[in-house]
């Protein structure tokens, strides 16, 4: 018998359509799974769980009548706490929670999910304001890696990535800045998508400006494309919307990679030291793309590490976020976040504008680079998941979080679409991620490549250790 929590969104919709499955039984199974693997979560029989089952009953009746609202009707989805959900506080981290509310609006992407009949099963936590690349906002001490509970799940969206890996919902919607979706997706062995900036309306506006995106987590590219078709539409609240997508992302998957020009950059021109196990797994998948019809060359994008510009924009955004809090609440912020805010407040307007100029120049260089290639392929992270509680892996040059995420944050500066896909494990059984980057507004291309890798058996969520598959013994996410 197949465990219902193992099924993808595509398979769930097929089951609903044929009557083999029902949204109520699936929702209850996912809530039970979440209760077991996320004991600190909010889907443990409380009001959120009750509401989810009620929405599932409505969906089940629509499917019975043959009138589903869309392919996500009745599919469980988790939503990160950086995105407003009507009736649920969105604290951006527990210390900065304003208890007074009111919590009376949905983010545009959440509203699209409700319109489609998706079942919001629980919320997931992140580091405060998404300010760190490790997840520590949970009351239980932060999400742990599903493959080794002594390792981090990455962040800020580590809780969401671990939940998808462990079967607490096949899809997740959350915020991505500085690799905040792609890094935990790589560490937890799932697929993470950062669309072109603005493709999913970024409301409420992030203090990190154009560095912040709304990202998705899924088990494969087909599910990710389905979710992006639903949430990646313009909204009147977003004055910077790029306009409607040129077509269905799910429909584009069948186009494959034959003839696509792929630039493989294993180290960004020698700028990044990559662990051998990561390099081997990524190269194997790249060779697989070549065997599937892509034209692959080893080539590096023409830019030096843009860390100075990124850190200027990032720290100024953090300072602006904290400025909105009272003095007492600012003192309750995470110490590392307080220090980041202090750095941002000390920078001048000229410093900020110089960083904006550097951001624009990086975008120009990447635009020219993509005139000769359709996709850039890199490792997602140069390491696999490191010790929980640490802010960085051991090793020279990796102390700050930008020191160990050099493949992800440059493409937040440029606003390009990027997808991470799991392509194997290291010697300790920890997942390895491969990153696919395309030119702005070409979101279908990395999804197509990820789908081909999945279909060819070159990518996919690795089995959990010790027989602890999603349908077997649960692994606790909480610390």
């Amino acid at each position: 018998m197949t465990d219902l929590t193992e099924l993808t969104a595509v398979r769930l919709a097929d089951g609903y359509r044929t009557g083999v499955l029902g949204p109520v039984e699936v929702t209850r199974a996912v809530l039970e799974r979440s209760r077991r693997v996320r004991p600190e979560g909010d889907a443990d029989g409380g009001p959120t769980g009750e509401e989810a089952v009620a929405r599932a009953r409505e969906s089940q009746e629509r499917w019975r009548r043959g009138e589903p609202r869309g392919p996500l009707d009745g599919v469980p989805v988790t939503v990160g706490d950086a995105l407003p959900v009507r009736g649920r506080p969105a604290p951006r981290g527990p210390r900065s929670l304003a208890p007074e509310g009111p919590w009376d609006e949905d983010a545009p992407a959440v509203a699209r999910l409700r319109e489609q009949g998706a079942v919001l099963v629980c919320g997931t936590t992140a580091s405060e304001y998404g300010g760190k690349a490790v997840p520590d906002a949970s009351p239980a001490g932060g999400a742990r890696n599903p493959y080794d509970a002594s390792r981090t799940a990455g962040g800020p969206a580590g809780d969401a990535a671990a939940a998808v890996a462990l079967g607490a919902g096949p899809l997740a919607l959350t915020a991505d800045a500085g690799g905040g979706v792609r890094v935990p997706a790589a560490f937890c062995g799932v697929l993470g998508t950062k669309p072109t900036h603005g493709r999913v309306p970024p409301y409420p506006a992030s203090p990190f400006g154009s560095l912040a995106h709304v990202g998705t987590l899924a088990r494969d590219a087909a599910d990710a494309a389905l979710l992006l078709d639903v949430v990646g539409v313009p909204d009147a609240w977003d004055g910077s919307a790029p306009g409607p997508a040129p077509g269905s992302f799910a429909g584009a998957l069948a186009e494959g990679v034959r003839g696509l020009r792929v630039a493989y950059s294993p180290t960004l021109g020698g700028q990044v030291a990559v662990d051998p196990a990561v390099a081997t797994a990524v190269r194997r998948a790249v060779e697989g793309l070549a065997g599937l019809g892509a034209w692959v060359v080893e080539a590096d994008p023409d830019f030096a590490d843009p860390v100075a510009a990124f850190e200027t924009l990032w720290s100024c955004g953090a300072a602006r976020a904290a400025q909105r809090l009272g003095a007492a609440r600012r003192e309750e912020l995470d110490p590392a976040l307080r220090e980041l805010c202090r750095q941002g407040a000390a920078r001048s307007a000229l410093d900020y504008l110089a960083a904006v100029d550097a951001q624009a120049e990086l975008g120009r260089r990447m635009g020219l680079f993509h005139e000769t290639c359709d996709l850039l392929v890199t490792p997602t992270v140069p390491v696999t998941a490191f010790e929980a509680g640490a802010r960085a892996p051991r090793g020279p040059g990796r102390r700050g979080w930008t020191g160990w995420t050099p493949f992800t944050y440059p493409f937040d500066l440029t606003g390009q679409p990027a997808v991470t896909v799991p392509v194997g494990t290291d010697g300790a059984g920890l997942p390895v991620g491969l990153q696919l980057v395309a030119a702005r507004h070409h979101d279908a291309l990395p999804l197509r490549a990820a789908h081909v890798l999945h279909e060819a058996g070159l990518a996919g969520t690795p089995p959990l250790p010790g027989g602890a598959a999603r349908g077997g013994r649960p692994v606790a996410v909480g610390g």
Side-chain angles (χ1 to χ4, degrees):
M1 230 179 136
T2 301
D3 189 309
L4 297 177
T5 65
E6 294 183 355
L7 300 179
T8 64
V10 171
R11 289 187 64 189
L12 289 176
D14 287 343
Y16 298 161
R17 187 176 300 108
T18 60
V20 174
L21 299 175
V24 172
E25 62 175 333
V26 169
T27 297
R28 284 178 172 156
V30 167
L31 290 170
E32 174 59 25
R33 169 63 71 179
S34 184
R35 183 180 303 119
R36 295 169 63 197
V37 301
R38 300 182 63 252
E40 79 284 5
D42 62 357
D44 55 359
T48 299
E50 295 171 4
E51 181 182 354
V53 172
R55 299 291 80 77
R57 287 197 185 98
E58 295 171 0
S59 172
Q60 191 153 303
E61 178 59 23
R62 288 192 294 270
W63 281 105
R64 188 193 65 79
R65 297 194 309 265
E67 300 173 352
R69 292 178 177 174
L72 289 186
D73 203 335
V75 174
V77 182
T78 67
V79 179
D81 65 6
L83 300 173
V85 176
R86 190 173 65 248
R88 186 200 77 180
R92 293 183 183 265
R95 298 180 185 87
S96 50
L97 171 61
E100 59 273 10
W103 311 105
D104 56 1
E105 67 180 12
D106 287 328
V110 175
R112 301 296 85 77
L113 289 172
R114 285 197 201 270
E115 291 166 3
Q116 285 271 319
V119 177
L120 308 184
V121 288
C122 65
T124 55
T125 60
S127 56
E128 280 186 287
Y129 288 99
K132 291 194 298 186
V134 290
D136 59 2
S138 160
R144 297 295 181 90
N145 195 286
Y147 293 84
D148 182 344
S150 70
R151 306 293 183 115
T152 182
D159 188 20
V164 171
L166 289 165
L171 298 172
L173 186 69
T174 187
D176 183 338
V181 163
R182 285 157 291 150
V183 171
F187 281 0
C188 294
V190 297
L191 185 143
T193 300
K194 178 187 77 73
T196 296
H197 183 263
R199 169 54 56 204
V200 182
Y203 180 89
S206 169
F208 299 108
S210 61
L211 300 181
H213 301 65
V214 179
T216 70
L217 291 153
R219 293 176 191 152
D220 61 27
D223 272 16
L226 196 66
L227 180 56
L228 190 55
D229 275 337
V230 171
V231 301
V233 295
D235 190 275
W237 286 0
D238 180 16
S240 60
S248 166
F249 297 110
L253 297 180
E255 297 176 28
V257 297
R258 185 165 300 279
L260 289 186
R261 302 164 300 170
V262 176
Y264 168 45
S265 179
T267 62
L268 290 182
Q271 297 184 74
V272 184
V274 179
D275 285 4
V278 173
T280 298
V282 171
R283 181 174 288 275
R284 185 185 306 118
V286 170
E287 291 171 351
L289 282 175
L292 292 164
W295 183 62
V296 179
V297 297
E298 194 162 319
D300 303 305
D302 177 26
F303 65 78
D305 187 353
V307 63
F310 182 87
E311 289 186 345
T312 295
L313 298 173
W314 191 257
S315 63
C316 289
R320 173 57 179 156
Q323 189 180 46
R324 301 168 184 174
L325 304 173
R329 199 168 285 160
R330 282 200 297 270
E331 286 303 309
E332 296 174 355
L333 294 174
D334 178 270
L337 180 58
R338 289 204 307 271
E339 173 58 22
L340 184 66
C341 294
R342 185 197 65 76
Q343 294 172 9
R347 299 184 191 273
S348 69
L350 290 178
D351 293 332
Y352 184 88
L353 291 174
V356 171
D357 287 344
Q359 181 182 26
E361 173 60 16
L362 180 61
R364 184 187 72 84
R365 287 174 178 266
M366 286 308 302
L368 291 174
F369 181 78
H370 281 289
E371 287 192 339
T372 58
C373 79
D374 300 300
L375 286 171
L376 169 67
V377 178
T378 72
T380 306
V381 196
V383 298
T384 51
F386 51 88
E387 294 82 0
R391 292 184 176 174
R394 297 173 184 173
R398 291 176 174 172
R399 290 180 60 100
W401 71 266
T402 51
W404 59 272
T405 61
F407 291 113
T408 54
Y409 67 78
F411 307 111
D412 292 323
L413 281 163
T414 60
Q416 293 172 250
V419 171
T420 181
V421 59
V423 291
T425 58
D426 67 4
L430 296 168
V432 172
L434 172 149
Q435 180 179 232
L436 298 146
V437 184
R440 284 172 55 86
H441 309 301
H442 291 266
D443 297 76
L445 289 177
L447 288 170
R448 282 166 52 187
H451 182 64
V452 163
L453 289 171
H454 274 107
E455 292 290 290
L458 297 168
T461 299
L464 291 171
R470 286 186 291 271
R473 177 178 60 82
V475 179
V477 178

